[in-house]
Amino acid sequence: MEPDYNQTLVSLRKSDFADHPVTADIMCTDGKTETIAARYVVGCDGARSTVRKVLGLSLQGSAARQLWGVMDVLAVTDFPDIRLKSAVQSANAGSLLIIPREGGYMVRMYIELDALADDERAADRNVSPDMLIQKAQAILAPYHLDVKNVVWWSAYEIGQRVCERFDDGTHDPRIFIAGDACHTHSPKAGQGMNVSMADAYNLGWKLASVLRGQAAPDLLRTYSSERQAKAQELIEFDREMAHIFSTTSASDVFQRYFSKHARYTAGVETRYDPSIIVGGDTHQAHAIGFRVGTRFHSAPVIRLADAKPMHLGHVIKADGRWRLFLFAGQDDTGQADGGIAAITKFLAEHPASPIKLYTPSEMDRDAVIDLRAVFQQPHKDLAFDKMPQLLRPRKGRYGLVDYEKIYCADPKTEDIFDSRGILRSTGTMIIVRPDQYIAQVLPLNATAELCATFAAFMQPVNAT
């Protein structure tokens, strides 16, 4: 795709066309207006979002009264932590955040400026790069900061605000907003880009699934419910972080709070509530380290075919496929009467199998649901050629064997069965969404529940 730049959304409206029910008028660079009929529209158009206004939504919460500046700089300084993520609070000159940029030289600085009056906007202060440099120098004093080049800079107002929903509120949503268009906060949490990208990815894989005909349009309603709740959590986290940052001079208090919420700021603490794509915790005891609704937590494994040590999470690509991980019981080596053989036979042959129901016949068997298996035995005790055929699929135009479906625990480094609390006796299966969040944990023989999980949102290939 080639993006079009410097164009302006003039109007956006619903129409009566079933296939393309949204119409957008775009002002082009030549002054002409282009009308686009679309199936879906996503507004990633910032805190002053036109799409949000068309939906009649507004950002609710604390008003934007604090002015901040941000700049990417090449600088020489004797501040010892310039290559560390740092929060600096001066005695009377304000505070700043230091974020080292890639490449080893550039540094981003978020600089706290003065509060705005009720009728002021950021533009009224005439902020300049020199102003930001002087403020940063004052905050870092007595350390010296010699800015050689300002690569990029900006000034903006911040407030902790979020929309009540992230779509058009209809049963069949067609218009969505993401990122700053639906939530804004201070830079203290350091989550603006992270959360916005998570919004886009959450919506992106769902839109792709619906547009491909793999999933029912009902799936799109989960975007607003999942991401609005996470944005609200961010606002609350940021509000508390900002309070601590502004009211305490005790660095140990700030450090304890930041350490306590390290998984949150790293972006791996998100947990989605039960929905059509997140199951309950009925079988959570089968894998207590894979919490339903959370991000799939990787661990070391050994690939059977070539004895290569690797991380199980690294085999998951961002390609829109669902994942079904089978964890074998303690005596299962892939033999014909074992649990892995039974579940793979069901998946390969039974009419209700999600793989048979949702994978077009002209595609590879794993094109929609990617199946993997992990065994407890060392790789030397297992035979690849004795494994069920579904774990050794022939793929592509030449029918080549896929050798990367089967793995073993790695007791020398970290046994995944122990570290993730996987029930060793009978086996477990983990259903993982395209965005790497866990949809369900089930016993290895729970075929009815497996089918029900996918039936809640998927479209059979012969559906009209």
Side-chain angles (χ1 to χ4, degrees):
M1 296 179 64
E2 294 185 8
D4 295 316
Y5 295 99
N6 301 317
Q7 298 190 349
T8 303
L9 177 65
V10 177
S11 64
L12 184 67
R13 58 195 180 277
K14 290 285 192 75
S15 68
D16 295 328
F17 298 106
D19 292 336
H20 298 83
V22 187
T23 301
D25 294 323
I26 306 293
M27 180 68 71
C28 302
T29 53
D30 59 3
K32 297 180 179 179
T33 299
E34 179 181 1
T35 299
I36 300 174
R39 294 182 65 180
Y40 299 97
V41 170
V42 183
C44 306
D45 49 344
R48 300 182 183 181
S49 169
T50 299
V51 177
R52 184 186 68 233
K53 294 174 183 176
V54 169
L55 295 179
L57 299 173
S58 61
L59 292 168
Q60 303 293 324
S62 302
R65 291 290 176 262
Q66 183 62 51
L67 183 62
W68 281 75
V70 56
M71 59 181 181
D72 285 336
V73 299
L74 299 174
V76 176
T77 179
D78 58 353
F79 181 69
D81 294 334
I82 196 65
R83 295 307 301 173
L84 297 173
K85 184 177 180 180
S86 307
V88 181
Q89 187 179 45
S90 68
N92 50 31
S95 58
L96 65 79
L97 299 178
I98 295 174
I99 310 293
R101 290 293 306 271
E102 62 280 1
Y105 298 100
M106 189 182 300
V107 174
R108 173 163 293 187
M109 294 184 174
Y110 291 97
I111 304 160
E112 185 179 22
L113 303 175
D114 296 331
L116 295 168
D118 289 346
D119 58 349
E120 271 191 309
R121 300 300 301 268
D124 298 332
R125 292 296 182 92
N126 296 317
V127 178
S128 67
D130 288 339
M131 182 187 301
L132 297 181
I133 292 171
Q134 293 173 10
K135 185 68 172 180
Q137 290 171 333
I139 295 171
L140 287 174
Y143 295 105
H144 299 285
L145 176 69
D146 182 10
V147 175
K148 302 295 186 180
N149 185 29
V150 178
V151 180
W152 170 83
W153 72 278
S154 184
Y156 57 93
E157 311 155 44
I158 62 95
Q160 289 130 353
R161 300 181 295 169
V162 62
C163 284
E164 64 183 42
R165 67 176 189 271
F166 293 0
D167 61 22
D168 56 26
T170 62
H171 180 76
D172 181 16
R174 296 284 180 160
I175 305 173
F176 307 87
I177 50 176
D180 288 357
C182 41
H183 49 75
T184 63
H185 55 90
S186 82
K188 295 185 177 73
Q191 295 300 297
M193 180 181 70
N194 296 3
V195 175
S196 296
M197 290 170 68
D199 290 346
Y201 195 80
N202 184 291
L203 177 59
W205 74 261
K206 295 172 181 176
L207 272 174
S209 297
V210 172
L211 291 170
R212 290 170 179 161
Q214 295 174 348
D218 290 354
L219 176 65
L220 297 176
R221 295 204 300 270
T222 67
Y223 165 68
S224 181
S225 61
E226 287 189 339
R227 295 309 302 168
Q228 200 278 343
K230 297 306 114 182
Q232 190 62 52
E233 288 179 7
L234 170 63
I235 296 303
E236 294 168 2
F237 172 80
D238 182 54
R239 184 178 293 115
E240 188 172 1
M241 175 73 80
H243 175 74
I244 292 175
F245 201 95
S246 301
T247 61
T248 181
S249 60
S251 60
D252 59 330
V253 174
F254 184 83
Q255 290 174 8
R256 282 199 303 270
Y257 184 81
F258 204 84
S259 297
K260 177 182 177 182
H261 297 282
R263 285 184 57 82
Y264 181 84
T265 55
V268 296
E269 189 62 18
T270 295
R271 185 177 188 183
Y272 292 126
D273 293 332
S275 67
I276 61 172
I277 52 172
V278 177
D281 58 1
T282 303
H283 302 292
Q284 187 65 77
H286 278 72
I288 59 176
F290 288 125
R291 296 172 62 202
V292 175
T294 66
R295 182 174 175 268
F296 183 76
H297 194 182
S298 184
V301 290
I302 303 292
R303 191 162 61 199
L304 176 60
D306 57 1
K308 180 181 179 179
M310 58 193 307
H311 253 268
L312 188 60
H314 293 177
V315 309
I316 303 177
K317 297 181 179 180
D319 55 11
R321 290 187 292 172
W322 285 76
R323 263 74 195 188
L324 180 57
F325 287 101
L326 309 177
F327 291 89
Q330 58 189 5
D331 298 323
D332 196 338
T333 60
Q335 73 273 18
D337 61 347
I340 294 295
I343 184 62
T344 54
K345 179 179 176 61
F346 173 86
L347 291 169
E349 301 177 5
H350 199 282
S353 161
I355 290 178
K356 289 183 69 66
L357 276 178
Y358 309 120
T359 307
S361 58
E362 68 274 11
M363 291 185 174
D364 290 331
R365 303 292 291 276
D366 62 355
V368 177
I369 301 173
D370 180 19
L371 182 67
R372 312 267 174 161
V374 184
F375 291 85
Q376 300 184 35
Q377 291 81 1
H379 70 277
K380 294 180 179 180
D381 296 341
L382 299 174
F384 181 85
D385 60 350
K386 302 299 183 183
M387 291 293 171
Q389 188 62 50
L390 196 59
L391 294 173
R392 301 181 288 123
R394 292 184 175 272
K395 298 166 57 177
R397 61 183 297 187
Y398 297 116
L400 302 179
V401 176
D402 187 338
Y403 289 92
E404 302 187 357
K405 298 289 189 184
I406 309 171
Y407 304 85
C408 308
D410 184 3
K412 291 184 179 180
T413 302
E414 176 187 330
D415 191 314
I416 190 171
F417 286 83
D418 289 338
S419 63
R420 299 296 172 261
I422 300 170
L423 190 65
R424 288 186 175 274
S425 57
T426 57
T428 301
M429 55 182 163
I430 314 291
I431 305 172
V432 181
R433 301 175 358 170
D435 58 359
Q436 300 186 24
Y437 282 82
I438 298 170
Q440 186 58 285
V441 173
L442 296 171
L444 199 59
N445 60 356
T447 55
E449 290 174 271
L450 170 66
C451 295
T453 298
F454 284 100
F457 59 90
M458 294 289 276
Q459 293 270 47
V461 292
N462 59 353
T464 58

